[in-house]
Amino acid sequence: MTQGAAVYKRRRRSWLDHGNSFRLRVLTRASALLMLGGVIMAGLVNGGHLSYNGSPWLLLPGRAAGVVGMAAQEITITGLEHHEPETLLSAISVEPGGSLMGFDAIQARNILQNLDWVQSAKVQRLFPNQLVVEVREREPFAIWQRGTAYYVIDKAGAAMSGLEASQMVRLPLVTGEGANAAAAELINQLAAYPDLLLQVKASARVGSRRWTLYLDNGITVQLPERDWQQAIAMADQLNKTQRILARGIRSLDLRLPGRVTVEVAESAAAGVQPADKKTVAGAN
């Protein structure tokens, strides 16, 4: 090897070493900048500075999914009667145009079926960008008052938190502990006597064992713990034959078998003192 060749190789090695050193410095600085940017971005996200309404950063996952055909472009929902589609989609963390990457249809179905207003649900993901959701809602049956709170309940007595009782004023009202579980049997029995049912304003569960009916004219009908179905039939019969629920009384007590006790109202006929009671034996 000549001296000139030796000098060339030394110079070439020097340039290579210089290039490697330069690239190392660039990579080091780039890594530091990326790390700093990641820390800043994490701070912005955790602080909620990028999650305000209308933030373009919130649209990035959906836009990225749309590029690869994984955005929720077609969403079909059936079976909703008392709830809005937005309520259902929010529960499974899906929004129109949003990303479907990582979406689990089985998990979404389980989430929906755990909602107290959903009786059953079916969720299908049709690749790449379709979502089909079928739900069956629980049917509102009555309003249950418990203390100062009001709940819409279904026939089984389950409360449905997604419904406002104030929007269901036509439903029967039941009150007291255990009234929700016993409401269906009472209301179904009253349905056999429509004239009486139309007058019932509310039904109170007393001691978790019997009912007292509150009529719209202020009269109370006290039912027994046992054989209360026969007592309802008796009240309906007395009202049809004697118009007893329209004769100025305060209450109709049917708690004793074969006896009807009537408490007379203050506006009753002369000679009968307020709160006087008349008992008719063998009223069956």
Side-chain angles (χ1 to χ4, degrees):
M1 181 182 294
T2 64
Q3 184 177 1
V7 171
Y8 171 75
K9 286 186 176 182
R10 284 197 299 271
R11 288 179 179 176
R12 187 169 182 270
R13 187 179 298 112
S14 175
W15 279 108
L16 289 174
D17 293 343
H18 176 75
N20 291 336
S21 176
F22 176 75
R23 284 193 293 269
L24 181 61
R25 289 197 300 271
V26 170
L27 290 173
T28 302
R29 292 177 181 177
S31 299
L33 288 174
L34 287 174
M35 184 177 294
L36 179 60
V39 171
I40 294 174
M41 184 62 70
L44 291 173
V45 172
N46 292 334
H49 301 290
L50 301 180
S51 59
Y52 58 88
N53 289 335
S55 170
W57 298 97
L58 296 178
L59 304 178
L60 285 181
R63 288 175 177 172
V67 171
V68 295
M70 300 284 282
Q73 299 297 338
E74 297 183 28
I75 300 177
T76 303
I77 302 174
T78 59
L80 291 182
E81 295 185 17
H82 306 289
H83 294 80
E84 297 299 325
E86 291 79 8
T87 302
L88 185 149
L89 293 176
S90 176
I92 58 177
S93 302
V94 170
E95 59 182 25
S99 174
L100 285 178
M101 290 188 291
F103 178 80
D104 189 331
I106 296 178
Q107 182 182 15
R109 182 199 64 191
N110 293 337
I111 291 173
L112 291 178
Q113 292 189 154
N114 282 329
L115 297 177
D116 59 17
W117 53 272
V118 174
Q119 183 172 337
S120 62
K122 181 180 180 181
V123 180
Q124 286 183 295
R125 166 78 184 281
L126 303 178
F127 286 92
N129 59 1
Q130 296 182 50
L131 189 64
V132 178
V133 182
E134 302 175 25
V135 295
R136 183 179 179 184
E137 295 186 54
R138 297 185 184 276
E139 286 295 326
F141 183 73
I143 296 175
W144 174 36
Q145 180 184 359
R146 188 182 186 190
T148 58
Y150 292 83
Y151 306 93
V152 178
I153 61 174
D154 66 359
K155 230 174 185 180
M160 295 180 285
S161 60
L163 296 178
E164 293 292 336
S166 59
Q167 299 177 358
M168 301 282 175
V169 294
R170 293 188 178 183
L171 294 178
L173 174 64
V174 296
T175 69
E177 288 296 328
N180 58 319
E185 189 178 10
L186 172 69
I187 295 171
N188 288 339
Q189 187 68 29
L190 286 171
Y193 309 98
D195 292 339
L196 178 60
L197 177 61
L198 286 174
Q199 298 182 64
V200 177
K201 183 179 181 180
S203 305
R205 192 70 172 161
V206 181
S208 298
R209 57 186 177 81
R210 69 170 193 85
W211 291 99
T212 292
L213 309 180
Y214 291 84
L215 308 188
D216 53 11
N217 58 5
I219 296 175
T220 60
V221 179
Q222 296 172 287
L223 301 178
E225 180 178 355
R226 298 179 179 179
D227 299 326
W228 56 269
Q229 298 90 341
Q230 289 81 355
I232 289 177
M234 180 187 295
D236 182 73
Q237 184 64 23
L238 288 172
N239 193 43
K240 287 180 177 178
T241 58
Q242 302 182 30
R243 304 291 297 168
I244 194 169
L245 299 179
R247 295 180 61 179
I249 65 172
R250 280 185 176 177
S251 68
L252 185 65
D253 190 344
L254 304 173
R255 289 176 294 177
L256 296 178
R259 302 179 73 89
V260 178
T261 301
V262 176
E263 183 177 355
V264 181
E266 295 180 359
S267 58
V272 179
Q273 297 298 321
D276 275 2
K277 293 184 178 180
K278 294 185 176 181
T279 302
V280 178
N284 57 340

